[in-house]
Coordinates of all heavy atoms in Angstrom, one line a residue:
Q198 N -11.0 -11.1 -12.0 CA -10.8 -12.5 -12.2 C -12.1 -13.1 -12.6 O -13.2 -12.6 -12.3 CB -10.2 -13.2 -10.9 CG -11.1 -13.1 -9.7 CD -10.4 -13.7 -8.5 OE1 -9.4 -14.5 -8.6 NE2 -10.9 -13.4 -7.3
S199 N -12.0 -14.3 -13.3 CA -13.2 -14.9 -13.7 C -13.1 -16.5 -13.4 O -12.1 -16.9 -12.8 CB -13.5 -14.8 -15.2 OG -12.3 -15.3 -15.9
E200 N -14.1 -17.3 -13.9 CA -14.0 -18.7 -13.7 C -12.8 -19.4 -14.3 O -12.2 -20.3 -13.9 CB -15.3 -19.4 -14.2 CG -16.5 -19.0 -13.3 CD -16.4 -19.4 -11.9 OE1 -15.8 -20.5 -11.7 OE2 -17.1 -18.9 -11.1
D201 N -12.4 -18.8 -15.4 CA -11.2 -19.2 -16.1 C -10.0 -18.7 -15.9 O -8.9 -19.1 -16.4 CB -11.6 -19.1 -17.8 CG -12.8 -19.8 -18.2 OD1 -13.1 -20.8 -17.7 OD2 -13.4 -19.2 -19.1
M202 N -10.0 -17.7 -15.0 CA -8.7 -16.9 -14.6 C -8.9 -16.6 -13.2 O -9.6 -15.5 -12.8 CB -8.7 -15.6 -15.6 CG -7.4 -14.9 -15.3 SD -7.2 -13.5 -16.4 CE -8.6 -12.5 -15.9
R203 N -8.3 -17.4 -12.4 CA -8.3 -17.2 -10.9 C -6.9 -16.7 -10.5 O -5.9 -17.1 -10.9 CB -8.6 -18.5 -10.2 CG -9.9 -19.1 -10.7 CD -11.0 -18.3 -10.4 NE -11.3 -18.1 -9.0 CZ -12.2 -17.5 -8.5 NH1 -13.1 -16.8 -9.2 NH2 -12.4 -17.3 -7.1
A204 N -7.0 -15.9 -9.4 CA -5.7 -15.3 -8.9 C -4.9 -16.3 -7.9 O -5.6 -16.9 -7.2 CB -6.0 -14.0 -8.1
V205 N -3.6 -16.5 -8.2 CA -2.8 -17.2 -7.4 C -1.7 -16.2 -6.8 O -0.8 -15.8 -7.5 CB -2.2 -18.3 -8.1 CG1 -1.2 -19.1 -7.2 CG2 -3.1 -19.3 -8.7
I206 N -1.8 -15.8 -5.6 CA -1.1 -14.7 -5.0 C 0.1 -15.5 -4.2 O -0.2 -16.2 -3.3 CB -2.0 -13.9 -4.1 CG1 -3.2 -13.3 -4.9 CG2 -1.1 -12.7 -3.5 CD1 -4.1 -12.6 -4.0
S207 N 1.3 -14.9 -4.5 CA 2.4 -15.5 -3.7 C 2.6 -14.7 -2.5 O 2.2 -13.5 -2.3 CB 3.8 -15.3 -4.5 OG 4.0 -14.0 -4.7
I208 N 3.1 -15.3 -1.4 CA 3.1 -14.7 -0.1 C 4.2 -13.4 -0.2 O 4.0 -12.5 0.5 CB 3.6 -15.7 1.0 CG1 3.5 -15.1 2.3 CG2 5.0 -16.2 0.6 CD1 3.8 -16.1 3.4
G209 N 5.2 -13.6 -1.0 CA 6.2 -12.6 -1.1 C 5.6 -11.2 -1.6 O 5.8 -10.2 -1.0
R210 N 4.9 -11.4 -2.8 CA 4.2 -10.2 -3.4 C 3.1 -9.7 -2.5 O 3.0 -8.5 -2.5 CB 3.8 -10.5 -4.8 CG 5.0 -10.9 -5.7 CD 4.5 -10.9 -7.2 NE 5.6 -11.1 -8.0 CZ 5.5 -11.1 -9.4 NH1 4.3 -10.9 -9.9 NH2 6.6 -11.3 -10.1
F211 N 2.4 -10.5 -1.8 CA 1.4 -10.2 -0.9 C 1.9 -9.2 0.2 O 1.4 -8.1 0.5 CB 0.7 -11.4 -0.4 CG -0.4 -10.9 0.6 CD1 -1.7 -10.7 0.2 CD2 -0.2 -11.1 2.0 CE1 -2.7 -10.4 1.0 CE2 -1.2 -10.9 2.9 CZ -2.5 -10.5 2.4
V212 N 3.0 -9.6 0.8 CA 3.6 -8.9 1.9 C 4.1 -7.7 1.4 O 4.0 -6.6 2.0 CB 4.8 -9.8 2.6 CG1 5.6 -8.9 3.5 CG2 4.1 -10.9 3.3
N213 N 4.8 -7.6 0.2 CA 5.3 -6.3 -0.3 C 4.1 -5.4 -0.7 O 4.3 -4.2 -0.3 CB 6.1 -6.7 -1.7 CG 7.3 -7.4 -1.5 OD1 7.9 -7.3 -0.3 ND2 7.8 -8.0 -2.5
F214 N 3.1 -5.8 -1.1 CA 1.9 -5.0 -1.5 C 1.4 -4.4 -0.2 O 1.1 -3.2 -0.1 CB 0.9 -5.7 -2.2 CG -0.3 -4.9 -2.6 CD1 -0.3 -4.2 -3.8 CD2 -1.5 -4.8 -1.7 CE1 -1.4 -3.5 -4.2 CE2 -2.6 -4.1 -2.1 CZ -2.5 -3.4 -3.3
I215 N 1.2 -5.2 0.8 CA 0.5 -4.8 2.1 C 1.3 -3.7 2.9 O 1.0 -2.6 3.1 CB 0.1 -6.0 3.0 CG1 -0.8 -6.8 2.3 CG2 -0.5 -5.4 4.3 CD1 -2.2 -6.3 1.9
T216 N 2.6 -4.1 3.0 CA 3.5 -3.3 3.8 C 3.8 -2.0 3.2 O 3.8 -0.9 3.8 CB 4.8 -4.0 4.2 OG1 5.4 -4.4 2.9 CG2 4.5 -5.3 5.0
L217 N 4.2 -2.0 1.9 CA 4.4 -0.8 1.2 C 3.2 0.2 1.2 O 3.3 1.4 1.3 CB 4.9 -1.1 -0.2 CG 6.3 -1.7 -0.3 CD1 6.7 -2.0 -1.7 CD2 7.4 -0.7 0.2
F218 N 2.1 -0.4 0.9 CA 0.8 0.4 0.8 C 0.6 1.1 2.2 O 0.3 2.3 2.3 CB -0.3 -0.4 0.3 CG -1.4 0.3 -0.3 CD1 -1.1 1.3 -1.3 CD2 -2.7 -0.1 -0.3 CE1 -2.0 2.0 -2.0 CE2 -3.7 0.7 -0.9 CZ -3.3 1.6 -1.8
I219 N 0.7 0.4 3.3 CA 0.3 0.9 4.6 C 1.4 1.9 5.0 O 1.0 3.0 5.4 CB 0.2 -0.2 5.6 CG1 -0.9 -1.2 5.3 CG2 0.2 0.3 7.0 CD1 -1.0 -2.3 6.3
L220 N 2.7 1.6 4.7 CA 3.6 2.6 5.0 C 3.5 3.9 4.2 O 3.7 5.0 4.8 CB 5.0 2.0 5.0 CG 5.6 1.0 6.0 CD1 6.8 0.4 5.7 CD2 5.5 1.6 7.4
A221 N 3.2 3.7 3.1 CA 3.0 4.9 2.1 C 1.9 5.8 2.6 O 2.1 7.0 2.6 CB 2.8 4.5 0.7
F222 N 0.8 5.2 3.1 CA -0.2 6.0 3.5 C 0.1 6.7 4.8 O -0.3 7.8 5.1 CB -1.5 5.1 3.8 CG -2.6 5.3 2.7 CD1 -2.4 4.6 1.5 CD2 -3.5 6.2 2.8 CE1 -3.4 4.6 0.5 CE2 -4.5 6.3 1.8 CZ -4.4 5.5 0.6
G223 N 0.9 6.1 5.7 CA 1.4 6.7 6.9 C 2.2 7.8 6.7 O 2.1 8.9 7.3
V224 N 3.0 7.7 5.7 CA 4.0 8.8 5.3 C 3.2 10.0 4.7 O 3.4 11.1 5.1 CB 5.1 8.4 4.3 CG1 5.8 9.5 3.9 CG2 6.0 7.4 5.0
I225 N 2.3 9.8 3.8 CA 1.6 10.9 3.1 C 0.7 11.6 4.1 O 0.5 12.9 3.9 CB 0.9 10.5 1.9 CG1 -0.3 9.6 2.2 CG2 1.7 9.7 0.9 CD1 -1.3 9.2 1.2
F226 N 0.2 11.1 5.1 CA -0.7 11.6 6.0 C 0.1 12.7 7.0 O -0.6 13.5 7.6 CB -1.4 10.6 7.0 CG -2.8 10.2 6.5 CD1 -2.9 9.7 5.3 CD2 -3.9 10.5 7.4 CE1 -4.2 9.2 4.9 CE2 -5.1 10.1 6.9 CZ -5.3 9.5 5.7
E227 N 1.4 12.6 6.9 CA 2.2 13.6 7.6 C 2.4 15.0 6.8 O 3.1 15.8 7.4 CB 3.6 13.0 7.9 CG 3.4 11.9 8.9 CD 4.7 11.1 9.0 OE1 5.7 11.6 8.5 OE2 4.8 10.0 9.7
L228 N 1.8 15.1 5.6 CA 2.0 16.3 4.8 C 1.7 17.7 5.6 O 2.5 18.5 5.5 CB 1.2 16.1 3.6 CG 1.2 17.4 2.6 CD1 2.7 17.6 2.1 CD2 0.3 17.2 1.3
P229 N 0.6 17.7 6.2 CA 0.3 19.0 6.9 C 1.3 19.4 7.9 O 1.7 20.6 8.1 CB -1.1 18.7 7.6 CG -1.7 17.5 6.9 CD -0.6 16.8 6.5
V230 N 2.0 18.5 8.6 CA 3.0 18.8 9.6 C 4.2 19.4 8.9 O 4.7 20.4 9.3 CB 3.4 17.4 10.4 CG1 4.5 17.8 11.5 CG2 2.2 16.9 11.1
F231 N 4.6 18.8 7.9 CA 5.7 19.5 7.1 C 5.4 20.7 6.5 O 6.4 21.6 6.3 CB 6.3 18.4 6.1 CG 7.0 17.2 6.6 CD1 6.3 16.0 6.8 CD2 8.3 17.3 7.0 CE1 7.0 14.9 7.4 CE2 8.9 16.2 7.5 CZ 8.4 15.1 7.8
M232 N 4.2 20.9 6.0 CA 3.7 22.3 5.4 C 3.9 23.3 6.7 O 4.3 24.4 6.5 CB 2.3 22.2 4.9 CG 2.2 21.3 3.7 SD 0.6 21.1 3.1 CE 0.1 22.8 2.7
I233 N 3.3 23.0 7.8 CA 3.3 23.9 8.9 C 4.8 24.2 9.4 O 5.2 25.3 9.6 CB 2.5 23.3 10.1 CG1 1.1 23.2 9.8 CG2 2.8 24.1 11.4 CD1 0.3 22.5 10.8
F234 N 5.8 23.2 9.4 CA 7.1 23.4 9.6 C 7.8 24.4 8.7 O 8.5 25.3 9.1 CB 7.8 21.9 9.6 CG 9.3 22.1 9.9 CD1 9.8 22.4 11.2 CD2 10.2 22.0 8.8 CE1 11.2 22.5 11.4 CE2 11.5 22.2 9.0 CZ 12.1 22.3 10.3
S235 N 7.5 24.1 7.3 CA 8.1 25.0 6.4 C 7.7 26.4 6.5 O 8.4 27.4 6.2 CB 7.9 24.5 5.0 OG 6.5 24.3 4.7

């Protein structure tokens, strides 16, 4: 962003971004467990 282009973030998209990103990281960190199980 710049002086002529400032971000206006909606609360809906902000929540979607944060929650999905955090949950996705939590899921992918479980990869070694499923590898060991298989």
Side-chain angles (χ1 to χ4, degrees):
Q198 62 183 343
S199 61
E200 293 295 334
D201 299 327
M202 184 177 62
R203 306 296 297 178
V205 179
I206 304 174
S207 68
I208 186 173
R210 295 192 175 184
F211 177 80
V212 168
N213 289 341
F214 181 88
I215 300 299
T216 55
L217 289 177
F218 209 35
I219 292 177
L220 287 177
F222 258 85
V224 171
I225 67 171
F226 263 60
E227 298 171 3
L228 177 62
V230 180
F231 287 95
M232 291 174 65
I233 292 172
F234 174 78
S235 63

